[in-house]
Amino acid sequence: MENQNQESTPTQPNQRLGSPSQELHSTSSNEQSQKRNSSESPQHESHVSAQSPKRSRNGSFPPPLFPQEIIFEILSNLPVKSLLRFRCVSKSWKSLIADNIFIKKHLKRTQNDPEFSKKRVLINIADIAPRTQPGSTIKSCSLTLKSIFEDPNVNTTEIEYPSKNESHSDWIVGSCNGLVCITIRENTVLLLNPTLRVSKRLPDIGFKKRRGYTVYGFGFDASVDDYKVVGVFSYPSIVKVYSLRTNCWRRIQDFPFEVFSNEAGKHVDGTLNWAVFSGQDGDFSIVSLDLAQETYKEVTQPCFADGVDERTLGVLDGYLCVLCSYRKLYAEVWVMKEYGKRESWTKLVSIPYLPYERSEMFLTPVSVSKSGEILLRYGVNILLYNPKKNMFRIPMFPYDVISYISQAEVYEESLVSPTAVNQHR
């Protein structure tokens, strides 16, 4: 009798293709058969269920059931674009992918990825082609960070966002946790997630049009889980802070120094850092604003050698960095391994200048690969320097897209949305 049950069981799925009454009868018979076999042989029960998965009415088998913890771990390792597609798998998956805990877990894994597989470079480019309207046009394009180090031919994708206009000069303020802050003609500020293609236009900052300029900084205040934009207006130096949680600007203590007109605040460990003029001689200094305490302090600089004539401030893989040039003979890149500690300044690399009479200036470093190859701006272009081989390489961009590069900013793909208020509480 037991062998007969084993032979008849595989035919059950075929019987379910008949009428609904046949399907119900077949299912009921199968349940009785399994109960009888369960009392006779526990091992036989597992054997039957393994060979007899229930099919749906369209003949397909249901997906396997995994514990929620395993699904969480698998999905948190996937790219954002895949997760956006997988939201339609089920209501539970859609709810999980939108959950704040999942978003933070996914972001942390992206930031700790040593292969740069989910990091990209956002660049501003100026088109010098003749136009009917005066002025240059700045476009935003993205390209995979990994491809720059491995492939000389770089593919670019233009980033779309509201208020984009060919006659405007847009500026990248900075990036943080997958969000990018962009200003349009200084007075319009956007928060954008290029991967999600979601943006938010901030309220007007309220600076009356007068003589002077406005510089910005963008960062994250972990003490209140909030993203903040800081606007500094020159002459006089009025400072306002925007909070994504409250969606409004408020004035704080005035900025103590004069900031450079094209200098955006560099975000490191909950602070925004600006290169400023200080002292009677207008020396180069670094001033930081603590986003939680809303206090200013001067950041100590590395021990440069004599002969420094140009310095630029940047962020390299999460560390505050300074590139200093020595009369166009060579440049040094210094990084602050522990923010706020002068002794943690470390010289990362020395870069010789190209032996050209009209060689460009080395500007802000952008990123460094696992092998030590450094990506940096060089005048109006981007190049790679390999310190082990002492060789330069220029990534090739499509000529119909890029004329020259005015900015380069690294950002990571994330699920953080500037419009999802519940993510920031």
Side-chain angles (χ1 to χ4, degrees), residues 18-44:
S19 64
S21 60
Q22 289 177 329
E23 179 182 346
L24 180 61
H25 175 74
S26 164
T27 304
S28 177
S29 300
N30 188 35
E31 290 176 353
Q32 294 176 2
S33 175
Q34 290 184 0
K35 289 180 179 179
R36 185 166 57 251
N37 292 335
S38 175
S39 62
E40 294 177 358
S41 175
Q43 295 180 352
H44 176 66

Side-chain angles (χ1 to χ4, degrees), residues 173 215-219 230 232 255 259-260 262-276 284-291 295-300 312-315 318-322 336 339-341 345:
V173 176
V215 296
Y216 293 90
F218 172 57
V230 176
V232 181
F255 203 79
V259 295
F260 299 159
N262 61 345
E263 181 75 15
K266 312 302 180 185
H267 177 247
V268 178
D269 290 345
T271 67
L272 290 174
N273 302 263
W274 280 272
V276 301
F284 176 94
S285 297
I286 304 171
V287 172
S288 73
L289 169 64
D290 189 303
L291 291 175
T295 55
Y296 302 98
K297 72 174 183 179
E298 189 169 349
V299 180
T300 56
T312 57
L313 185 67
V315 177
Y319 300 114
L320 190 69
C321 76
V322 175
M336 185 177 250
Y339 182 80
K341 295 184 178 181
W345 279 110

Side-chain angles (χ1 to χ4, degrees), residues 121 315-317 364-368 374-377 382 408-410:
V121 175
V315 177
L316 189 61
D317 291 348
T364 313
V366 179
S367 187
V368 60
I374 190 167
L375 176 72
L376 71 159
R377 287 183 56 219
I382 283 182
E409 180 81 22
V410 175

Side-chain angles (χ1 to χ4, degrees), residues 213-332:
Y213 52 85
T214 304
V215 296
Y216 293 90
F218 172 57
F220 181 67
D221 181 359
S223 67
V224 290
D225 199 20
D226 192 14
Y227 293 89
K228 295 182 177 180
V229 180
V230 176
V232 181
F233 185 81
S234 62
Y235 310 119
S237 60
I238 300 173
V239 182
K240 287 190 175 183
V241 176
Y242 169 84
S243 163
L244 188 58
R245 291 181 64 183
T246 62
N247 192 37
C248 65
W249 295 90
R250 61 183 179 84
R251 185 170 176 176
I252 63 171
Q253 180 183 353
D254 292 349
F255 203 79
F257 297 99
E258 179 186 350
V259 295
F260 299 159
S261 60
N262 61 345
E263 181 75 15
K266 312 302 180 185
H267 177 247
V268 178
D269 290 345
T271 67
L272 290 174
N273 302 263
W274 280 272
V276 301
F277 299 107
S278 66
Q280 296 181 350
D281 298 331
D283 294 333
F284 176 94
S285 297
I286 304 171
V287 172
S288 73
L289 169 64
D290 189 303
L291 291 175
Q293 303 297 325
E294 295 182 352
T295 55
Y296 302 98
K297 72 174 183 179
E298 189 169 349
V299 180
T300 56
Q301 300 183 51
C303 296
F304 303 117
D306 295 334
V308 177
D309 56 357
E310 293 289 340
R311 279 164 285 190
T312 57
L313 185 67
V315 177
L316 189 61
D317 291 348
Y319 300 114
L320 190 69
C321 76
V322 175
L323 185 145
C324 53
S325 294
Y326 293 85
R327 298 185 180 90
K328 278 196 172 184
L329 298 175
Y330 66 97
E332 294 177 342

Side-chain angles (χ1 to χ4, degrees), residues 403-422:
S403 294
Y404 68 87
I405 297 171
S406 61
Q407 283 184 285
E409 180 81 22
V410 175
Y411 76 98
E412 54 257 347
E413 297 180 342
S414 82
L415 293 164
V416 177
S417 172
T419 60
V421 180
N422 64 328

